[in-house]
């Protein structure tokens, strides 16, 4: 069996990956807060986890991998969006989830096995918070419930900070009801105009971090294999998830392996909604940039390195994919290259795997290229079609010339038949002879003016 090695943020080293249960490999990715179109940076870990999902399915079998990615559908940013637009919250979250699916589908990301919504797990969150209070890890104060960081010795271990460093370095919200300034909110009160649920602490809503702890527990149990998100989530979000889950279930280890992707940048700065320097995936798709091309650019940089989106990379990806699609159009996928799998198994080295694809293309190994590219989610039927040129109203003329070619062959007029064949090639029309007659397709260098000479 292929040995996979992953860089575990928890141990800060590359380790051999050994699933807790090879019959059910479990992976979780912190998903979006749904009030806005996803920006390009948001696609980075979605695509990285998509490749991980495909690799694990390849190694352990498609039925032996469970992938969960949540939708945060209760959040103050959503409340603010509803208040400023005068629209109901549920309309905003439903619309945004629809956009998210459409955008990630367009990039060829497989849908996760589970896409839990935070609002569907409030009861589990309340139960977990009650458990934390009972064990002395949390306390209620003024309608809030706070996690007591002093109660958990390993607090800070994931991100490598001490509580004292955090207090010195962080802009922590000092509130009179907090025993330690680093204590974080598990539950907070809601006024009547805000979404709220009844709880032992009054009507309120959850803090952000508790949802991932409650949902992984509900879907996977207290221990599972892989958890990920951007480096920006390591502290405080992931640190707090670990504290909540490990204190609620000391018998479980929560995530065995933590994967963190570096940020997508624009002009050397993190692309983010708060910095206002972002463009959405939909912006790019609307400009006519194919999802497959976006995917190619995004996977061209290893996930642990910062990356820049540039138009040069887009143009190169476009040209490469057109070439590969043309090369593999009439070819059945063969076996996936061992070198491609080896690169992916080496901490998801997508850039290395793509370098192997270039080698296969240069060597003319179309069957292996097709299978290996599909392993990475390229050259699939779902993402295809964009490379085929709009033939306008030249179709009937091409059909007529094909009939003429068939008649020339029947009449043994080989000179005419060959002239037509050469003419199609010059015009960039790819003709395929099948048992049911000839079919045609316009290639990327379609030039209908060449048909006039026939
Ligand atoms: P947010 O947009 O802050 O709700 O983040 C949602 C997910 O996208 C998280 O996993 C973040 O780590 C990730 N993310 C946000 N901005 C970027 C970026 N510029 N590059 C890569 N990942 C990002
Ligand atoms: Zn999370």
């Amino acid at each position: 069996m292929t040995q996979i090695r992953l860089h575990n943020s928890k141990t800060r080293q590359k380790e051999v990956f050994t699933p807790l249960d090879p019959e059910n490999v479990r992976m979780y990715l912190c998903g979006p807060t749904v009030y806005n179109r996803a920006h390009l940076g948001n696609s980075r870990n979605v695509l990285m986890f998509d490749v991980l999902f495909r690799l694990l399915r390849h190694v352990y079998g498609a039925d032996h991998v469970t992938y969960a990615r949540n939708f945060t559908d209760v959040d103050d940013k959503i409340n603010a969006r509803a208040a400023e637009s005068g629209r109901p919250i549920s309309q905003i979250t439903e619309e945004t989830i629809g956009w998210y699916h459409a955008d990630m589908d367009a990039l060829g990301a497989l849908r996760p096995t589970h896409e839990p919504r935070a609002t569907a797990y409030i009861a589990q969150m309340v139960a977990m918070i009650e458990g934390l209070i009972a064990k002395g890890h949390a306390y209620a104060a003024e309608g809030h419930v706070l996690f007591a960081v002093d109660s958990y010795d390993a607090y800070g271990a994931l991100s490598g900070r001490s509580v004292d460093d955090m207090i010195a370095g962080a802009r922590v919200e000092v509130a009179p009801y907090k025993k330690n300034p680093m204590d974080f909110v598990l539950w907070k009160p809601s006024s009547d105009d805000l979404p709220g649920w009844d709880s032992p602490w009054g009507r309120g809503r959850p803090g952000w971090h508790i949802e991932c702890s409650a949902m992984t527990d509900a879907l996977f149990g207290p221990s599972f294999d892989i958890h990920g998100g951007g480096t920006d989530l390591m502290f405080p979000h992931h640190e707090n998830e670990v504290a909540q889950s490990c204190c609620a279930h000391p018998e479980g280890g929560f995530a065995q392996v933590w994967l963190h992707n570096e940020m997508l940048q624009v002009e050397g700065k993190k692309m983010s909604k708060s910095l206002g320097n972002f463009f959405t995936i939909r912006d790019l798709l609307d400009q006519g940039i194919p999802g497959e091309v976006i995917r190619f650019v995004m996977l061209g940089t290893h996930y642990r390195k910062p990356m820049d989106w540039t138009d040069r990379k887009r143009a190169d990806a476009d040209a490469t994919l057109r070439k590969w699609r043309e090369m593999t159009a009439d070819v059945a996928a063969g076996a996936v290259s061992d070198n491609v799998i080896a690169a992916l198994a080496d901490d998801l080295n997508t850039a290395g795997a793509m370098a192997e694809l270039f080698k296969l293309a240069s060597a003319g190994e179309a069957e292996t290229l097709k299978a290996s590219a599909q392993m990475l989610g390229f050259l699939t039927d779902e993402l295809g079609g964009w490379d085929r040129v709009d033939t306008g109203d030249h179709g009937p003329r091409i059909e007529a010339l094909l009939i003429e070619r068939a008649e020339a062959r029947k009449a043994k007029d080989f000179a005419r038949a060959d002239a037509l064949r050469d003419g199609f090639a010059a015009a960039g029309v790819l003709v395929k002879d099948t048992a049911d007659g000839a079919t045609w397709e316009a290639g990327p260098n379609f030039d209908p003016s060449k048909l006039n000479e026939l």
Side-chain angles (χ1 to χ4, degrees), residues 28 30 70 208 212 227 237-238 241:
Y28 183 90
C30 295
N70 66 308
W208 169 34
C212 294
H227 190 130
H237 183 55
H238 291 161
E241 287 185 22

Side-chain angles (χ1 to χ4, degrees), residues 58 332-338 340-341 360 365-373:
H58 179 84
V336 178
S337 146
D338 288 343
V340 167
I341 298 294
L360 291 169
E365 298 192 27
E367 288 92 353
T368 314
L369 171 64
K370 190 165 192 171
S372 307

Side-chain angles (χ1 to χ4, degrees), residues 181-262:
M182 291 315 296
D183 290 351
F184 59 88
V185 170
L186 300 174
W187 189 263
K188 56 190 173 186
S190 288
S191 52
D192 288 343
D193 55 327
L194 289 176
W197 291 263
D198 289 330
S199 81
W201 319 286
R203 185 174 174 278
R205 61 194 191 284
W208 169 34
H209 316 297
I210 193 72
E211 74 179 75
C212 294
S213 288
M215 293 190 288
T216 53
D217 184 46
L219 295 167
F220 294 158
S223 313
F224 60 98
D225 297 295
I226 302 171
H227 190 130
T231 47
D232 58 330
L233 295 191
M234 186 164 354
F235 183 83
H237 183 55
H238 291 161
E239 197 72 68
N240 293 352
E241 287 185 22
V242 172
Q244 296 160 164
S245 294
C246 290
C247 290
H249 297 289
E251 76 283 8
F254 197 46
Q256 308 299 301
V257 179
W258 282 91
L259 301 182
H260 289 100
N261 63 287
E262 260 302 336

Side-chain angles (χ1 to χ4, degrees), residues 34 44-45 74 96 114 133 147 160 205 237 259 304 324 368:
V34 283
R44 198 165 187 204
N45 54 40
V74 48
T96 312
H114 301 290
I133 294 175
F147 184 92
R205 61 194 191 284
H237 183 55
L259 301 182
R304 294 188 63 226
W324 292 359
T368 314

